[in-house]
Amino acid sequence: MRPTLRQLQYLVAVAETGKFHEAAKTLNVSQPSLSAQIAAAEDHLGTVLIERGRNGAIMTPTGEEVVRRARVILTQLEDLKTVARQSEGRVAGRYRLGTVPTIGPYLLPSAVKELHRLFPDLRMSVREERTIDLEEKLNDGRLDMIISTPEDHVNSESMPLFQETLYICAAPDDELSSGEGPVDIGVLKGRELLSLGVGHRLSVVIQMLADAAGAHVSTEYEGTSLDAVRQMSAMGAGVAILPNLYAVVEAQRDPGQVVRPLRHPLATRDVSLIWRKGSPLGRDIEALGLVFRDVAMDLLGVGTTPPKK
C-alpha cells in the first residue's frame, strides 16, 4: 500500500501548523482521525515522519523530505483540477494567495469582495508573510500566487498592479507635520527613520532612502506592522515611511497625524501579482489580477495626497 492523498494533505497540515490539534482544526476533521491517518502513512512508508512531544509535532529529516514531495504532488493535483475548470471557461475553486503585510490588509478587503461578486465559485485563502517567506512558499507550491514587489521574485511570472509613492509621517509637533503637500528627501537629513524588521522589502527601500538623504534607520525600534511604526512616529520616536495605499486607507483615520508624499525616485515601489512560471493557473490569475488592479486604482484615486486634518 502507499499513502493516500488525504494522508499527504494531513501530513502537510501538521508540518505547517506544528501541532496535531491545529492541523485538525485547519482541515475541519477530528484530531483522532488525523492522528490515525498519519500513523497509517508512517506504517505504509515504514518510517517515523513526525516526532511527537509536549511542545508539538516536529518533522524528522525523512518527514521533511516527504512533506516537500507531498506539496509537489498536491500542487500537481490542484493543477489538474484547474485544467478541468478552464475547459469549462470559468474561474472557480480554491486559490491560495500570499501577500506582504504592508499591502494585504489595505487592498484585500475590497478586492476579495469584488472577486466574490465576479466569480461566485471562487474561494480564496490568504496568508500574510514577509517577502522572503512568500518567495519560498510560492516556489514549493504552498501558495498559488502572491502580491509583492517583482524585483524580489525574478524567476516568476508577474503582472503589474500599481505603483506606490511613499509617504512620511512624524509627530504632530514636528516641523514636518506643519505643512501640506510633497516634501523633498533633503528634509530627512540627520533624521531617524522607523522601519519594519528584516525580511521586508520596505525595510530595504527605507535603508536606501536613508543613505540617499543622509539619515539613519533606527536600531532601537523595528516595527512589526505599519500601524506600530506610525504610532511610534506619533510619539516622536522618529519619522515613519509609509506606503501610499496604507496612507490612503488607514492613516487618514487618525485626525491627529499628517502624512505627506516624499518626492524622490527611490520613494516609490512597484506592486505586482506573481505566480510560478509554467503554472496552469496563469490565465485565471491574470483575470484575478485585473480585479486587484482596478480595486487598487479606485483606492488610490480617493486621493493620492491625503489632506492634512
Side-chain angles (χ1 to χ4, degrees):
M1 294 182 66
R2 65 193 66 181
T4 65
L5 291 172
R6 175 176 294 179
Q7 289 167 353
L8 294 181
Q9 183 183 28
Y10 288 3
L11 183 63
V12 168
V14 172
E16 292 184 350
T17 62
K19 297 181 183 296
F20 277 79
H21 70 274
E22 289 292 338
K25 183 178 178 181
T26 299
L27 295 169
N28 197 29
V29 298
S30 69
Q31 183 173 334
S33 175
L34 180 139
S35 297
Q37 288 294 327
I38 289 180
E42 291 178 319
D43 288 342
H44 296 332
L45 294 171
T47 187
V48 176
L49 302 175
I50 301 174
E51 179 183 339
R52 298 151 173 87
R54 291 184 177 179
N55 295 327
I58 302 173
M59 307 307 296
T60 65
T62 300
E64 289 181 352
E65 179 60 22
V66 171
V67 166
R68 186 185 70 81
R69 294 171 183 264
R71 288 192 179 112
V72 173
I73 293 170
L74 293 172
T75 297
Q76 290 175 339
L77 178 61
E78 289 300 318
D79 289 348
L80 183 63
K81 293 178 181 178
T82 298
V83 171
R85 290 196 305 266
Q86 288 179 338
S87 68
E88 300 174 359
R90 62 193 180 97
V91 179
R94 186 174 72 93
Y95 290 74
R96 298 163 298 175
L97 170 68
T99 176
V100 291
T102 57
I103 297 172
Y106 319 109
L107 172 64
L108 293 184
S110 298
V112 170
K113 182 178 180 180
E114 182 67 4
L115 286 170
H116 285 162
R117 184 185 72 82
L118 295 172
F119 308 111
D121 295 324
L122 172 70
R123 297 295 177 266
M124 185 81 73
S125 62
V126 180
R127 294 180 66 104
E128 288 185 16
E129 303 279 359
R130 299 180 305 166
T131 307
I132 57 175
D133 296 325
L134 289 176
E135 173 74 358
E136 176 186 342
K137 292 180 179 180
L138 179 66
N139 288 335
D140 69 17
R142 280 179 280 178
L143 295 172
D144 300 312
M145 54 186 162
I146 60 176
I147 297 176
S148 186
T149 43
E151 61 266 34
D152 295 298
H153 313 281
V154 294
N155 295 317
S156 303
E157 299 286 347
S158 65
M159 174 184 182
L161 297 181
F162 58 94
Q163 184 180 74
E164 286 193 296
T165 298
L166 299 182
Y167 282 67
I168 62 167
C169 181
D173 59 353
D174 191 293
E175 63 181 0
L176 294 177
S177 300
S178 63
E180 298 182 27
V183 296
D184 293 320
I185 195 171
V187 302
L188 299 179
K189 185 174 181 179
R191 293 285 195 136
E192 187 165 45
L193 307 185
L194 301 177
S195 178
L196 298 174
V198 176
H200 295 277
R201 161 55 59 171
L202 186 60
S203 64
V204 176
V205 175
I206 292 174
Q207 183 61 62
M208 291 190 296
L209 284 169
D211 293 341
H216 60 277
V217 177
S218 174
T219 58
E220 296 182 356
Y221 178 79
E222 287 185 347
T224 56
S225 69
L226 292 177
D227 279 339
V229 169
R230 180 169 61 90
Q231 289 163 9
M232 288 299 292
S233 73
M235 297 169 62
V239 179
I241 308 294
L242 305 173
N244 192 171
L245 192 61
Y246 173 85
V248 168
V249 176
E250 290 291 338
Q252 289 190 86
R253 297 183 182 181
D254 187 343
Q257 281 194 301
V258 176
V259 288
R260 302 175 65 184
L262 186 58
R263 190 162 43 204
H264 190 273
L266 290 175
T268 61
R269 68 170 179 174
D270 294 318
V271 176
S272 295
L273 185 61
I274 300 162
W275 62 96
R276 288 183 299 279
K277 282 187 176 180
S279 170
L281 295 171
R283 188 176 68 182
D284 289 354
I285 291 174
E286 288 181 338
L288 302 180
L290 293 174
V291 178
F292 286 125
R293 180 187 291 170
D294 288 345
V295 170
M297 291 298 98
D298 286 344
L299 290 172
L300 293 173
V302 170
T304 56
T305 304
K308 180 179 177 180
K309 297 238 178 166

